[in-house]
Amino acid sequence: MNNIINAAVHDLQRGPQGFKIVQGQDKLIVTHTVQRVINELHDLYARRASKSYGKFSDQLTYSETKTYLGDYLAVGPDGFADLTAKMMVTLQNSARTRNAAAGGHVFFAHFERDNHQYLLVAIITDKLGANLTGNLDVQDVVHLDVDGFRFAGRINMTAWLDQQERYIGFLKGKGSVSEYFKEFLGCDTVIQARQDTSQLVETLKEFTLQKQMSAADREEFLTKAKGICERLASSQREIDFEEFANELFPSAPAELSEVLGSPERKLNDGFIPDRRALVPLKKFKGKTSSWSVEFDRQALTDGSIIFDADANTLTFKGLPVELAMELKRETIDE
C-alpha cells in the first residue's frame, strides 16, 4: 500500500496557440478513489518494461525540477501546491519544444512506500466508453484512460538524498516520444552497459527460480537469452525489453516483462548488451589460492559435474584421459 502524503491534478491543454495550464486544487483529499487511482497508476508504471533510469542533471538548463523538489523537501508537505505549480510551468516549457509532446491530466503524488519517499508524475488522457443506465439504455461516458498512459516518471527522493547513482525512472516509449518528459524531470540518463547487462543476467537467473524451471528448461532459457543478447551486441542494437520478453519467453512474455521492468531493479531499457557480462549465462567459474575452475552450465544439466549444496563440493565425472593419467601417475608416485 502506498501511504499518500500529498496528491494533486492539473491540466496541460494543447490548443492552436500551444500549451495552456489549467490549475486544479492545491491538494486532493485522499479519498478511496484517489487512493485507488494512484495505486493503480503506480502498479501499471512498475509493470511497464520499457523504462530508463538516471539522476538529476548537473546542467543548469535542466535543474528546475531538482531545485523545486529540494525547496519542497526543505519546507515540508505544506509546500506541495507551490511545487506542483512550478513543475507544471517546467512541463509546459518542455512540451513546447517537442512535436511529440501531448497534453492531458497531470497527476502528482507524494507517497511513502517501503520506508522510501517518492514523487510520481503521470499524464493521463480521457477515454470515451459506454455505460448501461438503470433503464437498460446505453450512453456515452468519459473516463480516465489509466491503462493507456504513455508519460510517467518516479523520483525516489530518499535515494536522491542518500546520493545514490540512480533515483529517477521514467517510461521510455519509442523513439524520442519521451524526451520532453525526461527533460521536464531534469534527468541525466545513466547508461552503464556492463553493469546493466550484469543486472539483466542476475534478473534472468532469478526468474528461472521464480518459475521453478527444471534444470533442462533453465539451461535452454538462459542459453537462448545469451544468444539473443549476443546477436544484439554483434549488430550494436539496443535491447528492447518487450521484444526481448516476446522472443525469450513467448508462452507468457508479460510475466518476464513485469520482472524486467520492476523499478526496484533499475534496469535501463535501451543499452547494448556487453558480451563480457553475458558469460555467467553459460559458464561458472571460481578460484582459491591453490586452484581455479570454469565450466559450462550444460555440465550441471548432463550430470558430468555434480554440485552438493550441503557438503559444498563439486564432483567431476568423465575426466579427460590425459588429466586422469597424470593424476594417476601423481598418486602412484606418492
Side-chain angles (χ1 to χ4, degrees):
M1 178 68 70
N2 302 311
N3 177 27
I4 301 172
I5 298 167
N6 271 317
V9 182
H10 306 300
D11 270 7
L12 184 67
Q13 298 179 356
R14 185 171 190 171
Q17 305 303 318
F19 288 94
K20 180 179 71 172
I21 296 172
V22 178
Q23 291 289 135
Q25 300 177 40
D26 289 346
K27 293 182 183 181
L28 292 176
I29 297 173
V30 183
T31 62
H32 173 75
T33 302
V34 170
Q35 180 78 55
R36 179 176 59 80
V37 169
I38 290 175
N39 285 347
E40 187 174 355
L41 279 174
H42 185 265
D43 290 345
L44 287 168
Y45 167 79
R47 291 202 295 268
R48 296 280 180 88
S50 184
K51 297 191 192 77
S52 283
Y53 294 90
K55 58 184 180 180
F56 284 126
S57 174
D58 293 328
Q59 298 180 38
L60 293 177
T61 310
Y62 303 110
S63 64
E64 289 180 334
T65 294
K66 175 182 179 181
T67 300
Y68 301 151
L69 194 57
D71 292 343
Y72 170 63
L73 292 175
V75 172
D78 289 342
F80 194 69
D82 187 52
L83 169 68
T84 60
K86 289 179 177 178
M87 288 184 69
M88 283 298 295
V89 175
T90 301
L91 179 62
Q92 179 188 39
N93 292 335
S94 297
R96 285 170 174 166
T97 67
R98 303 283 178 175
N99 292 329
H105 310 297
V106 186
F107 278 71
F108 294 88
H110 172 196
F111 62 90
E112 184 178 21
R113 182 187 183 96
D114 299 327
N115 297 319
H116 279 243
Q117 301 278 325
Y118 296 96
L119 179 69
L120 177 71
V121 186
I123 301 179
I124 307 172
T125 55
D126 291 325
K127 183 178 182 180
L128 181 64
N131 184 41
L132 193 63
T133 69
N135 296 324
L136 298 182
D137 191 13
V138 178
Q139 65 180 14
D140 287 339
V141 59
V142 177
H143 62 89
L144 294 173
D145 186 14
V146 175
D147 290 336
F149 72 91
R150 293 189 303 160
F151 302 101
R154 193 186 77 164
I155 301 173
N156 185 331
M157 296 181 286
T158 304
W160 173 38
L161 296 177
D162 288 344
Q163 299 183 333
Q164 294 183 21
E165 186 66 19
R166 294 179 179 179
Y167 45 81
I168 303 175
F170 61 95
L171 298 184
K172 187 177 179 184
K174 300 294 183 182
S176 62
V177 71
S178 63
E179 281 301 307
Y180 96 96
F181 202 78
K182 170 186 172 181
E183 183 178 297
F184 151 66
L185 292 173
C187 180
D188 180 12
T189 307
V190 182
I191 298 290
Q192 298 171 319
R194 189 163 187 176
Q195 177 181 320
D196 284 324
T197 306
S198 295
Q199 178 66 16
L200 173 63
V201 168
E202 291 306 311
T203 301
L204 293 174
K205 288 181 177 179
E206 290 177 21
F207 182 73
T208 64
L209 297 176
Q210 291 175 15
K211 300 299 293 181
Q212 298 182 331
M213 293 185 184
S214 66
D217 289 343
R218 177 180 167 90
E219 169 68 18
E220 181 182 356
F221 178 86
L222 295 176
T223 299
K224 185 177 180 181
K226 186 171 186 287
I228 296 171
C229 290
E230 286 185 333
R231 187 183 73 223
L232 294 171
S234 296
S235 60
Q236 288 295 287
R237 284 179 54 207
E238 296 180 348
I239 191 168
D240 180 301
F241 284 152
E242 290 186 1
E243 293 178 1
F244 179 71
N246 284 328
E247 181 175 357
L248 178 58
F249 202 58
S251 60
E255 293 181 10
L256 179 55
S257 290
E258 184 174 342
V259 172
L260 294 173
S262 169
E264 281 62 46
R265 297 184 185 276
K266 300 177 184 177
L267 257 176
N268 261 320
D269 177 55
F271 63 91
I272 298 174
D274 186 296
R275 278 197 176 92
R276 295 165 296 177
L278 293 171
V279 172
L281 283 174
K282 190 67 177 176
K283 292 182 180 294
F284 293 96
K285 58 182 176 181
K287 64 179 180 179
T288 67
S289 58
S290 56
W291 57 260
S292 65
V293 64
E294 180 176 318
F295 56 92
D296 286 348
R297 184 179 303 279
Q298 178 64 30
L300 294 174
T301 304
D302 63 24
S304 56
I305 294 179
I306 299 174
F307 173 57
D308 187 326
D310 295 329
N312 199 29
T313 60
L314 284 175
T315 301
F316 292 78
K317 294 184 177 182
L319 294 177
V321 176
E322 295 80 2
L323 176 58
M325 292 298 294
E326 187 174 348
L327 289 171
K328 287 178 182 178
R329 285 194 298 270
E330 185 73 16
T331 303
I332 292 173
D333 291 342
E334 293 179 353

